[in-house]
Amino acid sequence: MTLHISSAYNEDLIYINSKIVEMGGLCEQIINNTNLSIRDNNVQLAEKAVLLDEKLDFLENEINESVIKAIALRQPVADDLRVLFSAIKISGAFERVGDLCKNIAKRTQLLSDEYQIDIRREIFELGDKVKKQLTRSINSYTNQDIKLATKVWKNDYKIDQMYTDLFENLLVYLKKKKRVASGSHLMIIAKNYERIGDHTTHIGEMTHFAITGENLVAIRPKVNLPV
Amino acid sequence: MTSKFRTKKVEVSYGDKKAIRDISLDIEKNIITALIGPSGCGKSTFLRCLNRMNDVIENCSIKGSIHLDEQDIYGPDIDPVELRARVGMVFQKANPFPKSIFDNIAYGPRIHGLASNDSELKDIVHNSLEKAGLMDEVKDRLNDQATGLSGGQQQRICIARAIAVSPEVILMDEPCSALDPIATAKIEELMNELCESYTIIIVTHSMQQAARVSKKTAFFHLGDLIEYNDTDKIFTQPENQKTQDYITGRFG
């Protein structure tokens, strides 16, 4: 892409982009810790995820301030405007991903005494699927890959399907084991993963919009969620 | 959409040098159209074709056709002076006559015989000043020299002077480039009000001004019309890479 005549403007945009990429990397780290903490009942990794989330909040604020400054000083238009608008939306999505992971991690800590939860594996698989989807959405942004961004957007139904199946299994678990407290936490954990999936979809949508100026509005596969 | 101007394959040359080529563009009635592009791109040349201001430039030749409504403005039956009453112009630098405010506005109606008596002339002057949003500021000093007004007021005098001969179109060639932001905002607000009654075409170097005031934008580059579209489309999702590079400040 041709550079702007104003080198300061170029630097602003590069800086904002680097912060988005940094947030993406952190999100991958957090969700990885969260997933493993569930699978292996690892409290230390859950604690780490909670701590890392603070960094995300800080980075989101930094991006917001930089975007506001760029809008005020540069009056961006066309692709610049779309990139800056998307930066706000994507950093917001990353921040929400961090919050949801933190929530999962905290619940994992509460479940740490429940060694015998046989459903851990299924929840980990949902988390792993969401993590892969998150990585694809980050890659679509960093590589400015419209095809991959569209794929992320289209594939959200797979996560929804997994969540729906897991929800059914959790209901059975709750009824069978009569573990209301742990069952409720697991339900919310599953729902949080499903929500993270929605945020990764949004990152794909915003990446697509930043590159093309078009919103992804075509019909995509959907799953009717239980809740 | 109703077209006020229809231009087809317009080409303007100054001697051997082509200033614009193959410009086909329909200008919509009662909206503001902005012409943007770097210096020397041909936007002012094109603007000046629309009321035959290029006629007075030596060595200037024009090909193609320009229709105002259904009339060929380069046709043999067209009187350029009458055309310029229908298609008024406001320039970069405010250029009031060294006369009173009243006489500045009354000048056009007088030479075109638009008022049959003093009372009618007074009505035209007051009306024009009203429409130009100047009446309240100058009502007690209509006999003062127009050149004594502020830059912004002088530019609005020029707009009132253009309005006084009841034009259908007002051409503006960088009308705010010498004005401060407040005077600029007043002119822009005035343009917004005037476009209900007139078709306005503005040449501007300010991207923000084009974005703020116009409904359609045409981007010129090196004598070619690169892109012509709704202003919101041009500034959010331009189709041509050159347009994008220009409006985002990427032309080196």
Side-chain angles (χ1 to χ4, degrees), chain A residues 59-104:
Chain A
L59 280 167
E60 189 203 14
N61 283 336
E62 265 196 329
I63 289 170
N64 286 349
E65 280 171 21
S66 302
V67 170
I68 284 171
K69 196 178 106 187
I71 290 172
L73 303 186
R74 314 284 175 201
Q75 288 99 45
V77 292
D79 59 342
D80 295 335
L81 179 61
R82 299 199 306 263
V83 161
L84 290 171
F85 174 75
S86 304
I88 289 185
K89 301 283 276 182
I90 291 173
S91 65
F94 281 144
E95 190 274 333
R96 295 299 301 139
V97 168
D99 278 354
L100 291 164
C101 282
K102 182 172 79 176
N103 188 277
I104 294 170

Side-chain angles (χ1 to χ4, degrees), chain A residues 1-2 4-5 75 77-80 82 212 214, chain B residues 208 235-238 244-245 247-251:
Chain A
M1 184 181 279
T2 331
H4 296 85
I5 297 165
Q75 288 99 45
V77 292
D79 59 342
D80 295 335
R82 299 199 306 263
T212 65
E214 305 280 348
Chain B
Q208 282 73 40
F235 284 95
T236 55
Q237 201 186 357
Q244 175 143 299
D245 286 350
I247 63 173
T248 56
R250 289 191 180 107
F251 266 171

Side-chain angles (χ1 to χ4, degrees), chain A:
Chain A
M1 184 181 279
T2 331
L3 289 173
H4 296 85
I5 297 165
S6 161
S7 55
Y9 194 2
N10 290 326
E11 283 161 19
D12 288 349
L13 292 172
I14 290 167
Y15 176 77
I16 290 165
N17 184 52
S18 72
K19 291 288 153 187
I20 293 273
V21 173
E22 193 179 339
M23 276 190 99
L26 258 177
C27 272
E28 281 185 293
Q29 225 179 311
I30 293 174
I31 198 169
N32 197 40
N33 287 341
T34 310
N35 290 350
L36 295 179
S37 77
I38 287 182
R39 191 190 66 185
D40 306 336
N41 194 17
N42 184 327
V43 177
Q44 284 76 29
L45 284 174
E47 280 168 2
K48 214 172 166 187
V50 172
L51 284 175
L52 281 174
D53 176 59
E54 279 176 29
K55 275 192 183 176
L56 276 181
D57 295 348
F58 178 76
L59 280 167
E60 189 203 14
N61 283 336
E62 265 196 329
I63 289 170
N64 286 349
E65 280 171 21
S66 302
V67 170
I68 284 171
K69 196 178 106 187
I71 290 172
L73 303 186
R74 314 284 175 201
Q75 288 99 45
V77 292
D79 59 342
D80 295 335
L81 179 61
R82 299 199 306 263
V83 161
L84 290 171
F85 174 75
S86 304
I88 289 185
K89 301 283 276 182
I90 291 173
S91 65
F94 281 144
E95 190 274 333
R96 295 299 301 139
V97 168
D99 278 354
L100 291 164
C101 282
K102 182 172 79 176
N103 188 277
I104 294 170
K106 281 184 173 173
R107 289 179 196 281
T108 310
Q109 288 168 303
L110 295 174
L111 292 169
S112 62
D113 293 337
E114 308 245 3
Y115 293 102
Q116 303 308 321
I117 301 175
D118 46 9
I119 212 155
R120 275 185 193 277
R121 184 81 210 173
E122 264 186 77
I123 292 185
F124 167 77
E125 277 164 12
L126 174 65
D128 196 48
K129 180 94 182 159
V130 173
K131 189 190 96 176
K132 283 175 182 151
Q133 181 83 331
L134 177 70
T135 299
R136 278 189 210 106
S137 73
I138 294 165
N139 289 346
S140 76
Y141 175 83
T142 48
N143 301 329
Q144 296 287 285
D145 185 337
I146 304 169
K147 270 191 186 166
L148 189 56
T150 311
K151 195 175 168 188
V152 168
W153 175 75
K154 273 189 180 158
N155 282 350
D156 183 50
Y157 80 96
K158 291 181 182 170
I159 289 171
D160 289 349
Q161 188 59 60
M162 272 184 99
Y163 164 69
T164 307
D165 295 344
L166 182 57
F167 185 84
E168 295 299 325
N169 294 348
L170 281 168
L171 278 182
V172 173
Y173 169 82
L174 259 170
K175 281 175 193 161
K176 204 165 83 181
K177 306 262 179 175
K178 297 195 169 44
R179 304 296 289 264
V180 177
S182 61
S184 304
H185 285 308
L186 293 169
M187 285 265 189
I188 294 172
I189 287 172
K191 182 65 188 168
N192 283 351
Y193 274 128
E194 187 274 323
R195 290 294 298 137
I196 295 172
D198 291 343
H199 290 298
T200 63
T201 307
H202 190 56
I203 293 164
E205 283 171 341
M206 282 299 110
T207 299
H208 186 277
F209 173 75
I211 301 166
T212 65
E214 305 280 348
N215 285 309
L216 283 166
V217 286
I219 297 165
R220 62 178 163 131
K222 287 261 185 190
V223 169
N224 284 327
L225 297 176
V227 275

